[in-house]
Amino acid sequence: MSLIVQKFGGSSVSDAEGIKRVARRIIDTKSAGHDVVVVVSAMGDTTDELLDLAGQLTTKKAPAREMDMLLSAGERISMALLAMAIDGLGAKAASFTGSQAGMMTDAIHGKARVIEVSPKRVRRAIDRGFVAIVAGFQGMSKESRDITTMGRGGSDTTAVAMAAALGADVCEIYTDVDGIYTADPRVVPTARKIDTISSEEMLEMAASGAKILHLRCVEYARRFGVPLHVRSSFSTNEGTWVLPSPDDQIKIQEGEPLEQPIISGVAHDRSEAKVTVVGVPDIPGKAAHIFRVIAGAHANIDMIVQNVSRSDTGRTDISFTLPMVDGEAVKEALRSSQEEIGFQEISYNENVGKLSLIGAGMRSNPGVSFTFFEALHQAGVNVNMISTSEIRISIVTDADKLDDAVRAIHAAFDLDTDDEATVYGGTGR
Amino acid sequence: MSLIVQKFGGSSVSDAEGIKRVARRIIDTKSAGHDVVVVVSAMGDTTDELLDLAGQLTTKKAPAREMDMLLSAGERISMALLAMAIDGLGAKAASFTGSQAGMMTDAIHGKARVIEVSPKRVRRAIDRGFVAIVAGFQGMSKESRDITTMGRGGSDTTAVAMAAALGADVCEIYTDVDGIYTADPRVVPTARKIDTISSEEMLEMAASGAKILHLRCVEYARRFGVPLHVRSSFSTNEGTWVLPSPDDQIKIQEGEPLEQPIISGVAHDRSEAKVTVVGVPDIPGKAAHIFRVIAGAHANIDMIVQNVSRSDTGRTDISFTLPMVDGEAVKEALRSSQEEIGFQEISYNENVGKLSLIGAGMRSNPGVSFTFFEALHQAGVNVNMISTSEIRISIVTDADKLDDAVRAIHAAFDLDTDDEATVYGGTGR
């Protein structure tokens, strides 16, 4: 008997039929003898409807605390309905809000981070034979006791945090595709489903824009050693296992000892913008000052390039990428520190795309970067920024060249398969 | 400067326009120099929509705990939106769920009763200059820490409980009519608005079916000495003051010392059913047994009549009225105890109506009951059951005779006025 955490997104529970299908799936797992904790997002359009209502009330930005209070109502509805559906099928179920489930976060409304998880009530429910249903995406500020929400991918993070705190055997992330692919199948129809991938590589994939799993969820899973199983809510096929340690990977592949492929996949991302701070005085502490200002705006920056200083002016340019949604806040924060930092101007470009090649095999394969840049060159793709880690190469190029670049790289590393993947829509919690 | 609790029902906040109107009203009060605590119900149709969704999931009765979790989402939405609207108009507002506001109840889901109110966070918000918005209708079970809801009229009870705990100067109940009337204006178009009424009389009115204020709210207000002001959310006219003690009534009427009218009003109620337990052995303890069984089904019975025992059989009939919604549960509970109690059968009739005449002046006016029964007789109304208190006479008659009876009594006690009242729809929270 295992303890399994199952996470279902908003598109899986968008109506009564969807909720009933999810309920049956949960009961199948329970009937197979497992304990089940379910994490669920708000029903399909709930969030948009609530945001629309809020938008009708005032032209001012709504107070973040109240916005979290509003949005957190969505999971209450879906989780209570799911509990009723499970009960209707003859099993026992109890739903828990973020705060009831002990999801304690910091007080940054709209993008709160988990500080501590103490799922005592969830544990007690499981021990009494209940399916415990936990509201995804939401928690309670440890400091202010206010309701918080955790931003995009928050429900995945809730699921992994619950799995870690409960010592679950696996955290299953149900989605509308049947696993993680070597590239986005909408761009590369010949992309292959990955059977297993290490947390480390998955982390690079997620950070590089692969949408199925969010970065924070993978970080959390890796840190606490939670095996993730990303699979389709429309089939019972095995999906993609994301495994925290090489030992686990060997365990899973028992009886079928495959050579790890050199390259895991190609990820791309159109959600970032490129910012260049032009004419920064080339004296110690200026770069640190800039990044302190950005951190103050609660933005996560991604790639950073500092140009060679121009000896004639004693100034340099610093470029970085960051999520577009943080663009306005960062520009504003930088402008208000312009005099103090002493830079000349800010240039801002949303028309960029990022491509990343990920694979643990890169470490020992010197030919990878040659093949990579050669393929980009053949495809006529300009490279604006480059960043690398031991298991990743990323470049920034013009947005309209991104799809070509992805296909070229996918082909160059022999990732193509003959089967076409099925693709559905998806949601963001 | 006063502390004012204002309660707005679901029909006042049914859309963005309504929420904005309520927000302006609150700000007007705040601008006049008062501290304001607002209690709000779920938006117009929210509850029905949620119940409809729940109904699509299973034919079984949904678990009560989950139903409360589901329905409590409604106030989260309305209160967060109201806070945003107030913020948009330039004042500060913070919303609080039942549990955040310290509304501790028993664990009877769907009709929980308040055990204790500790509005520390609400108090802190007021002290910091915020309008505090509290979710009506919901609380948290002190024992299980589960979300509870308080049933029909629950938001009124929340408002009065908050007012009592905070020592508010007045609890304003905003509604869609401009006060309490001497009879339901839909039945008696010539009914008059009552300016002031004692808690005691209001209690009898509410218990007798006057819909504007719920019984529990009035009980609570009376017990804790909270003055209620029932008024229209569509005008700034004075409504009806419900005053806990005669001293307060004199205070309000200062400068205009009116003789208290003998009769306050006529209330009627179609929501009850009449149950007769036929052939109960006329031995000690049987009636007590029956009412213990009914209490076990959490039903509130209203009028009770025990017939004279038939000496030939040694059996008697016991009749009582109760809310129709409790009918099934009570019938079931009684049937399962039939053998033990030894009664012969149950008869159940929903086609009944109750009329009550209320007035503190009855105590010292011996002619009241004569006029009452004479008027019913003249109108051809049959009387099935009678019950009286010092300030009330109630009768049960056939449902189709009820309106005639109300009009006859209203006229017989000279309650008619020439102005017609305006009537809008209403909701139940």
Side-chain angles (χ1 to χ4, degrees):
Chain A
M1 189 174 94
S2 310
L3 171 56
I4 299 179
V5 174
Q6 300 187 322
K7 181 257 167 177
F8 295 91
S11 59
S12 302
V13 292
S14 59
D15 57 15
E17 278 319 302
I19 292 172
K20 283 195 265 188
R21 195 182 59 238
V22 166
R24 282 189 293 269
R25 179 118 204 178
I26 292 164
I27 286 189
D28 287 347
T29 310
K30 182 90 182 139
S31 303
H34 304 296
D35 283 334
V36 187
V37 173
V38 176
V39 172
V40 69
S41 303
M43 291 172 73
D45 301 326
T46 311
T47 306
D48 289 341
E49 285 165 16
L50 293 175
L51 288 173
D52 178 54
L53 264 174
Q56 291 175 42
L57 292 173
T58 163
T59 50
K60 270 179 72 175
K61 191 167 151 40
R65 176 188 185 276
E66 300 304 324
M67 189 53 91
D68 278 359
M69 180 69 90
L70 180 70
L71 296 182
S72 69
E75 283 82 21
R76 293 201 150 200
I77 294 172
S78 56
M79 75 187 191
L81 291 173
L82 183 54
M84 290 176 192
I86 292 173
D87 183 86
L89 293 171
K92 290 181 291 183
S95 65
F96 298 95
T97 63
S99 73
Q100 289 178 338
M103 287 290 297
M104 308 304 288
T105 71
D106 61 22
I108 317 251
H109 287 287
K111 44 168 80 174
R113 299 191 70 96
V114 180
I115 289 181
E116 178 183 308
V117 185
S118 40
K120 290 187 218 79
R121 296 184 64 174
V122 173
R123 168 66 70 191
R124 217 179 308 142
I126 307 168
D127 291 346
R128 288 168 52 215
F130 280 68
V131 173
I133 304 173
V134 175
F137 179 67
Q138 61 180 253
M140 182 165 73
S141 155
K142 197 177 176 185
E143 189 189 316
S144 67
R145 320 291 290 176
D146 285 327
I147 306 298
T148 53
T149 67
M150 307 197 288
R152 277 190 77 81
S155 290
D156 289 355
T157 306
T158 302
V160 175
M162 277 293 140
L166 294 164
D169 297 277
V170 55
C171 177
E172 297 182 340
I173 307 284
Y174 284 87
T175 175
D176 33 24
V177 291
D178 51 2
I180 311 283
Y181 277 75
T182 51
D184 183 340
R186 281 167 297 200
V187 175
V188 184
T190 52
R192 272 193 295 111
K193 195 190 78 185
I194 301 169
D195 292 328
T196 69
I197 185 172
S198 71
S199 294
E200 208 174 5
E201 286 162 288
M202 191 63 231
L203 208 53
E204 295 280 12
M205 292 277 277
S208 303
K211 295 284 186 311
I212 309 296
L213 280 182
H214 285 80
L215 183 57
R216 289 165 58 189
C217 158
V218 184
E219 280 175 348
Y220 212 109
R222 184 181 179 220
R223 181 154 163 219
F224 291 95
V226 177
L228 296 175
H229 186 187
V230 180
R231 58 195 306 193
S232 166
S233 57
F234 296 94
S235 83
T236 54
N237 296 342
E238 287 277 302
T240 300
W241 284 83
V242 182
L243 297 167
S245 77
D247 292 353
D248 285 322
Q249 270 177 283
I250 289 157
K251 230 184 318 174
I252 291 288
Q253 291 164 359
E254 231 167 9
E256 190 191 350
L258 292 169
E259 180 90 359
Q260 272 292 300
I262 293 176
I263 299 298
S264 293
V266 185
H268 71 275
D269 192 353
R270 290 178 202 284
S271 69
E272 296 196 340
K274 181 182 169 189
V275 178
T276 302
V277 186
V278 178
V280 181
D282 194 13
I283 51 176
K286 286 300 176 187
H289 195 158
I290 286 171
F291 294 116
R292 198 164 58 237
V293 166
I294 295 165
H298 300 296
N300 295 314
I301 58 171
D302 179 18
M303 293 169 69
I304 303 172
V305 174
Q306 177 161 0
N307 294 3
V308 178
S309 176
R310 287 161 295 176
S311 57
D312 53 339
T313 59
R315 290 181 183 269
T316 186
D317 299 343
I318 295 178
S319 296
F320 54 89
T321 60
L322 83 178
M324 277 181 210
V325 290
D326 293 332
E328 276 311 311
V330 165
K331 278 191 280 180
E332 205 172 293
L334 283 172
R335 279 196 203 105
S336 70
S337 302
Q338 178 161 10
E339 206 165 327
E340 211 186 332
I341 300 173
F343 65 85
Q344 290 167 321
E345 58 173 322
I346 299 168
S347 89
Y348 181 77
N349 181 6
E350 295 197 342
N351 188 33
V352 296
K354 186 175 71 165
L355 175 154
S356 304
L357 180 71
I358 290 112
M362 283 187 203
R363 286 187 179 126
S364 48
N365 275 272
V368 169
S369 52
F370 169 75
T371 308
F372 182 82
F373 288 104
E374 179 66 13
L376 291 177
H377 173 68
Q378 295 292 342
V381 174
N382 261 338
V383 173
N384 297 338
M385 292 170 90
I386 302 171
S387 107
T388 59
S389 78
E390 286 198 21
I391 62 169
R392 177 184 52 80
I393 310 177
S394 300
I395 59 116
V396 170
T397 183
D398 298 341
D400 54 1
K401 277 295 194 183
L402 189 61
D403 286 355
D404 288 348
V406 171
R407 282 187 285 264
I409 296 295
H410 199 266
F413 285 91
D414 294 327
L415 295 169
D416 290 348
T417 177
D418 297 334
D419 311 324
E420 292 214 1
T422 322
V423 185
Y424 311 83
T427 56
R429 284 195 175 179
Chain B
M1 189 173 98
S2 310
L3 171 55
I4 299 178
V5 174
Q6 300 187 321
K7 181 258 169 177
F8 295 92
S11 59
S12 300
V13 292
S14 59
D15 56 15
E17 278 319 302
I19 292 172
K20 283 195 265 190
R21 196 182 58 239
V22 166
R24 281 190 294 271
R25 178 119 205 176
I26 291 164
I27 287 188
D28 287 345
T29 310
K30 182 92 180 137
S31 303
H34 304 296
D35 284 335
V36 188
V37 173
V38 176
V39 172
V40 69
S41 304
M43 292 171 73
D45 302 326
T46 311
T47 305
D48 289 341
E49 286 164 16
L50 293 175
L51 288 172
D52 177 54
L53 265 173
Q56 291 175 42
L57 293 173
T58 161
T59 51
K60 267 177 74 175
K61 191 168 152 33
R65 177 187 185 277
E66 300 304 324
M67 189 53 89
D68 278 359
M69 181 69 89
L70 179 70
L71 296 182
S72 70
E75 282 83 20
R76 295 202 147 199
I77 293 172
S78 57
M79 74 186 191
L81 291 172
L82 182 55
M84 292 176 192
I86 292 173
D87 183 86
L89 293 171
K92 292 181 290 182
S95 65
F96 298 95
T97 63
S99 74
Q100 289 177 340
M103 286 290 298
M104 309 304 287
T105 71
D106 61 22
I108 317 253
H109 287 287
K111 43 168 83 174
R113 297 192 72 95
V114 180
I115 289 181
E116 177 185 308
V117 185
S118 38
K120 290 187 217 79
R121 298 183 64 174
V122 173
R123 169 66 72 190
R124 218 179 305 142
I126 306 168
D127 291 347
R128 288 169 52 215
F130 280 67
V131 173
I133 303 172
V134 175
F137 180 69
Q138 61 179 254
M140 181 166 75
S141 155
K142 197 176 175 183
E143 188 190 317
S144 67
R145 319 292 291 179
D146 285 327
I147 306 299
T148 53
T149 68
M150 308 195 289
R152 276 189 79 80
S155 290
D156 288 355
T157 305
T158 303
V160 175
M162 277 292 140
L166 295 163
D169 297 277
V170 55
C171 177
E172 296 182 339
I173 307 286
Y174 284 87
T175 173
D176 32 26
V177 291
D178 51 2
I180 310 284
Y181 276 74
T182 50
D184 183 338
R186 281 167 294 201
V187 175
V188 184
T190 52
R192 274 192 294 115
K193 194 189 82 188
I194 300 169
D195 292 328
T196 68
I197 185 171
S198 70
S199 294
E200 205 174 8
E201 287 162 286
M202 190 63 231
L203 208 53
E204 294 281 12
M205 291 277 277
S208 304
K211 296 283 188 311
I212 309 295
L213 280 182
H214 284 81
L215 183 59
R216 287 165 59 190
C217 158
V218 184
E219 279 175 347
Y220 212 107
R222 183 178 182 224
R223 183 157 161 215
F224 291 95
V226 177
L228 297 175
H229 187 185
V230 181
R231 59 195 306 191
S232 167
S233 56
F234 297 93
S235 84
T236 55
N237 296 341
E238 288 275 301
T240 299
W241 284 83
V242 182
L243 296 166
S245 78
D247 291 354
D248 285 322
Q249 270 176 282
I250 288 157
K251 230 183 318 176
I252 291 289
Q253 291 164 359
E254 230 166 10
E256 191 192 348
L258 292 170
E259 181 91 355
Q260 273 291 303
I262 293 175
I263 300 298
S264 293
V266 184
H268 71 273
D269 192 353
R270 289 178 203 283
S271 68
E272 298 197 337
K274 180 181 169 189
V275 178
T276 302
V277 187
V278 179
V280 181
D282 193 12
I283 50 176
K286 285 303 174 186
H289 194 159
I290 287 171
F291 295 115
R292 197 164 59 239
V293 166
I294 295 166
H298 299 296
N300 294 314
I301 58 169
D302 180 17
M303 292 168 71
I304 304 172
V305 174
Q306 176 161 2
N307 294 3
V308 178
S309 175
R310 286 163 296 178
S311 57
D312 53 337
T313 60
R315 289 180 183 270
T316 186
D317 298 343
I318 295 177
S319 296
F320 54 88
T321 59
L322 85 177
M324 278 182 208
V325 290
D326 293 332
E328 277 311 311
V330 164
K331 278 192 281 180
E332 206 171 292
L334 282 173
R335 277 193 205 107
S336 69
S337 302
Q338 178 160 10
E339 205 163 330
E340 210 186 333
I341 300 173
F343 65 84
Q344 289 166 323
E345 59 172 322
I346 299 168
S347 89
Y348 180 77
N349 181 6
E350 294 197 342
N351 188 33
V352 297
K354 185 175 71 162
L355 175 153
S356 304
L357 179 72
I358 291 112
M362 279 187 206
R363 283 184 182 131
S364 48
N365 273 272
V368 168
S369 52
F370 169 75
T371 309
F372 182 81
F373 287 105
E374 178 66 15
L376 292 176
H377 172 69
Q378 294 293 341
V381 175
N382 263 336
V383 174
N384 298 339
M385 292 171 91
I386 303 172
S387 106
T388 59
S389 79
E390 286 197 22
I391 62 169
R392 178 184 51 79
I393 311 176
S394 301
I395 58 115
V396 170
T397 183
D398 298 342
D400 53 2
K401 278 296 192 178
L402 189 61
D403 286 355
D404 289 346
V406 171
R407 282 187 286 264
I409 296 295
H410 197 266
F413 286 92
D414 294 326
L415 295 169
D416 290 347
T417 178
D418 297 334
D419 312 324
E420 291 213 1
T422 323
V423 186
Y424 310 83
T427 56
R429 281 194 178 178

PDB file of all heavy atoms in Angstrom, chain B residues 369-384:
ATOM      1  N   SER B 369     -58.841  39.370  22.273  1.00  0.00           N
ATOM      2  CA  SER B 369     -59.131  38.048  21.713  1.00  0.00           C
ATOM      3  C   SER B 369     -60.557  37.978  21.182  1.00  0.00           C
ATOM      4  O   SER B 369     -60.830  37.289  20.194  1.00  0.00           O
ATOM      5  CB  SER B 369     -58.848  36.929  22.725  1.00  0.00           C
ATOM      6  OG  SER B 369     -59.510  37.208  23.935  1.00  0.00           O
ATOM      7  N   PHE B 370     -61.465  38.711  21.809  1.00  0.00           N
ATOM      8  CA  PHE B 370     -62.823  38.747  21.262  1.00  0.00           C
ATOM      9  C   PHE B 370     -62.809  39.304  19.844  1.00  0.00           C
ATOM     10  O   PHE B 370     -63.326  38.689  18.907  1.00  0.00           O
ATOM     11  CB  PHE B 370     -63.760  39.585  22.150  1.00  0.00           C
ATOM     12  CG  PHE B 370     -65.067  39.859  21.477  1.00  0.00           C
ATOM     13  CD1 PHE B 370     -66.032  38.856  21.362  1.00  0.00           C
ATOM     14  CD2 PHE B 370     -65.335  41.103  20.901  1.00  0.00           C
ATOM     15  CE1 PHE B 370     -67.221  39.090  20.702  1.00  0.00           C
ATOM     16  CE2 PHE B 370     -66.529  41.340  20.246  1.00  0.00           C
ATOM     17  CZ  PHE B 370     -67.474  40.335  20.151  1.00  0.00           C
ATOM     18  N   THR B 371     -62.193  40.490  19.659  1.00  0.00           N
ATOM     19  CA  THR B 371     -62.128  41.115  18.332  1.00  0.00           C
ATOM     20  C   THR B 371     -61.459  40.177  17.324  1.00  0.00           C
ATOM     21  O   THR B 371     -61.883  40.044  16.176  1.00  0.00           O
ATOM     22  CB  THR B 371     -61.331  42.440  18.415  1.00  0.00           C
ATOM     23  OG1 THR B 371     -61.873  43.224  19.471  1.00  0.00           O
ATOM     24  CG2 THR B 371     -61.397  43.201  17.106  1.00  0.00           C
ATOM     25  N   PHE B 372     -60.401  39.510  17.767  1.00  0.00           N
ATOM     26  CA  PHE B 372     -59.630  38.603  16.918  1.00  0.00           C
ATOM     27  C   PHE B 372     -60.508  37.476  16.382  1.00  0.00           C
ATOM     28  O   PHE B 372     -60.642  37.278  15.163  1.00  0.00           O
ATOM     29  CB  PHE B 372     -58.461  38.050  17.758  1.00  0.00           C
ATOM     30  CG  PHE B 372     -57.524  37.132  17.030  1.00  0.00           C
ATOM     31  CD1 PHE B 372     -56.507  37.634  16.221  1.00  0.00           C
ATOM     32  CD2 PHE B 372     -57.633  35.754  17.172  1.00  0.00           C
ATOM     33  CE1 PHE B 372     -55.627  36.783  15.581  1.00  0.00           C
ATOM     34  CE2 PHE B 372     -56.762  34.897  16.519  1.00  0.00           C
ATOM     35  CZ  PHE B 372     -55.756  35.416  15.726  1.00  0.00           C
ATOM     36  N   PHE B 373     -61.140  36.738  17.282  1.00  0.00           N
ATOM     37  CA  PHE B 373     -61.908  35.581  16.835  1.00  0.00           C
ATOM     38  C   PHE B 373     -63.188  35.983  16.109  1.00  0.00           C
ATOM     39  O   PHE B 373     -63.641  35.296  15.191  1.00  0.00           O
ATOM     40  CB  PHE B 373     -62.179  34.635  18.009  1.00  0.00           C
ATOM     41  CG  PHE B 373     -60.929  33.905  18.421  1.00  0.00           C
ATOM     42  CD1 PHE B 373     -60.232  34.262  19.575  1.00  0.00           C
ATOM     43  CD2 PHE B 373     -60.417  32.883  17.626  1.00  0.00           C
ATOM     44  CE1 PHE B 373     -59.072  33.604  19.928  1.00  0.00           C
ATOM     45  CE2 PHE B 373     -59.246  32.220  17.992  1.00  0.00           C
ATOM     46  CZ  PHE B 373     -58.569  32.584  19.141  1.00  0.00           C
ATOM     47  N   GLU B 374     -63.752  37.122  16.525  1.00  0.00           N
ATOM     48  CA  GLU B 374     -64.934  37.623  15.833  1.00  0.00           C
ATOM     49  C   GLU B 374     -64.603  37.936  14.368  1.00  0.00           C
ATOM     50  O   GLU B 374     -65.340  37.561  13.459  1.00  0.00           O
ATOM     51  CB  GLU B 374     -65.444  38.890  16.557  1.00  0.00           C
ATOM     52  CG  GLU B 374     -66.652  39.551  15.904  1.00  0.00           C
ATOM     53  CD  GLU B 374     -67.916  38.688  15.949  1.00  0.00           C
ATOM     54  OE1 GLU B 374     -67.940  37.717  16.726  1.00  0.00           O
ATOM     55  OE2 GLU B 374     -68.855  38.970  15.173  1.00  0.00           O
ATOM     56  N   ALA B 375     -63.445  38.583  14.155  1.00  0.00           N
ATOM     57  CA  ALA B 375     -63.046  38.944  12.789  1.00  0.00           C
ATOM     58  C   ALA B 375     -62.815  37.695  11.938  1.00  0.00           C
ATOM     59  O   ALA B 375     -63.203  37.639  10.764  1.00  0.00           O
ATOM     60  CB  ALA B 375     -61.783  39.811  12.822  1.00  0.00           C
ATOM     61  N   LEU B 376     -62.195  36.674  12.513  1.00  0.00           N
ATOM     62  CA  LEU B 376     -61.971  35.419  11.778  1.00  0.00           C
ATOM     63  C   LEU B 376     -63.312  34.763  11.426  1.00  0.00           C
ATOM     64  O   LEU B 376     -63.512  34.279  10.305  1.00  0.00           O
ATOM     65  CB  LEU B 376     -61.118  34.452  12.606  1.00  0.00           C
ATOM     66  CG  LEU B 376     -59.659  34.869  12.835  1.00  0.00           C
ATOM     67  CD1 LEU B 376     -58.968  33.860  13.751  1.00  0.00           C
ATOM     68  CD2 LEU B 376     -58.899  34.985  11.503  1.00  0.00           C
ATOM     69  N   HIS B 377     -64.188  34.777  12.380  1.00  0.00           N
ATOM     70  CA  HIS B 377     -65.508  34.183  12.164  1.00  0.00           C
ATOM     71  C   HIS B 377     -66.221  34.880  11.006  1.00  0.00           C
ATOM     72  O   HIS B 377     -66.751  34.242  10.097  1.00  0.00           O
ATOM     73  CB  HIS B 377     -66.318  34.283  13.464  1.00  0.00           C
ATOM     74  CG  HIS B 377     -67.741  33.870  13.304  1.00  0.00           C
ATOM     75  ND1 HIS B 377     -68.115  32.554  13.074  1.00  0.00           N
ATOM     76  CD2 HIS B 377     -68.899  34.583  13.332  1.00  0.00           C
ATOM     77  CE1 HIS B 377     -69.428  32.481  12.961  1.00  0.00           C
ATOM     78  NE2 HIS B 377     -69.932  33.705  13.119  1.00  0.00           N
ATOM     79  N   GLN B 378     -66.208  36.229  11.044  1.00  0.00           N
ATOM     80  CA  GLN B 378     -66.870  37.014   9.997  1.00  0.00           C
ATOM     81  C   GLN B 378     -66.267  36.707   8.630  1.00  0.00           C
ATOM     82  O   GLN B 378     -66.952  36.739   7.613  1.00  0.00           O
ATOM     83  CB  GLN B 378     -66.720  38.529  10.269  1.00  0.00           C
ATOM     84  CG  GLN B 378     -67.434  39.030  11.517  1.00  0.00           C
ATOM     85  CD  GLN B 378     -68.953  38.951  11.413  1.00  0.00           C
ATOM     86  OE1 GLN B 378     -69.503  38.859  10.303  1.00  0.00           O
ATOM     87  NE2 GLN B 378     -69.647  38.945  12.544  1.00  0.00           N
ATOM     88  N   ALA B 379     -64.981  36.444   8.598  1.00  0.00           N
ATOM     89  CA  ALA B 379     -64.303  36.197   7.316  1.00  0.00           C
ATOM     90  C   ALA B 379     -64.407  34.739   6.899  1.00  0.00           C
ATOM     91  O   ALA B 379     -63.846  34.340   5.874  1.00  0.00           O
ATOM     92  CB  ALA B 379     -62.831  36.616   7.429  1.00  0.00           C
ATOM     93  N   GLY B 380     -65.080  33.937   7.689  1.00  0.00           N
ATOM     94  CA  GLY B 380     -65.277  32.528   7.338  1.00  0.00           C
ATOM     95  C   GLY B 380     -64.026  31.680   7.443  1.00  0.00           C
ATOM     96  O   GLY B 380     -63.825  30.761   6.652  1.00  0.00           O
ATOM     97  N   VAL B 381     -63.152  32.019   8.385  1.00  0.00           N
ATOM     98  CA  VAL B 381     -61.873  31.305   8.540  1.00  0.00           C
ATOM     99  C   VAL B 381     -61.992  30.260   9.654  1.00  0.00           C
ATOM    100  O   VAL B 381     -62.358  30.576  10.775  1.00  0.00           O
ATOM    101  CB  VAL B 381     -60.742  32.308   8.876  1.00  0.00           C
ATOM    102  CG1 VAL B 381     -59.449  31.565   9.167  1.00  0.00           C
ATOM    103  CG2 VAL B 381     -60.572  33.316   7.754  1.00  0.00           C
ATOM    104  N   ASN B 382     -61.700  29.014   9.309  1.00  0.00           N
ATOM    105  CA  ASN B 382     -61.677  27.932  10.288  1.00  0.00           C
ATOM    106  C   ASN B 382     -60.411  27.965  11.127  1.00  0.00           C
ATOM    107  O   ASN B 382     -59.341  28.179  10.586  1.00  0.00           O
ATOM    108  CB  ASN B 382     -61.667  26.582   9.572  1.00  0.00           C
ATOM    109  CG  ASN B 382     -63.061  26.011   9.497  1.00  0.00           C
ATOM    110  OD1 ASN B 382     -63.933  26.359  10.311  1.00  0.00           O
ATOM    111  ND2 ASN B 382     -63.273  25.133   8.528  1.00  0.00           N
ATOM    112  N   VAL B 383     -60.510  27.692  12.415  1.00  0.00           N
ATOM    113  CA  VAL B 383     -59.325  27.685  13.268  1.00  0.00           C
ATOM    114  C   VAL B 383     -58.995  26.242  13.645  1.00  0.00           C
ATOM    115  O   VAL B 383     -59.805  25.554  14.261  1.00  0.00           O
ATOM    116  CB  VAL B 383     -59.572  28.542  14.533  1.00  0.00           C
ATOM    117  CG1 VAL B 383     -58.407  28.414  15.500  1.00  0.00           C
ATOM    118  CG2 VAL B 383     -59.801  29.995  14.140  1.00  0.00           C
ATOM    119  N   ASN B 384     -57.814  25.751  13.245  1.00  0.00           N
ATOM    120  CA  ASN B 384     -57.424  24.365  13.529  1.00  0.00           C
ATOM    121  C   ASN B 384     -56.623  24.214  14.817  1.00  0.00           C
ATOM    122  O   ASN B 384     -56.700  23.203  15.495  1.00  0.00           O
ATOM    123  CB  ASN B 384     -56.572  23.795  12.401  1.00  0.00           C
ATOM    124  CG  ASN B 384     -57.323  23.750  11.092  1.00  0.00           C
ATOM    125  OD1 ASN B 384     -58.562  23.775  11.090  1.00  0.00           O
ATOM    126  ND2 ASN B 384     -56.603  23.702   9.991  1.00  0.00           N
TER     127      ASN B 384
END
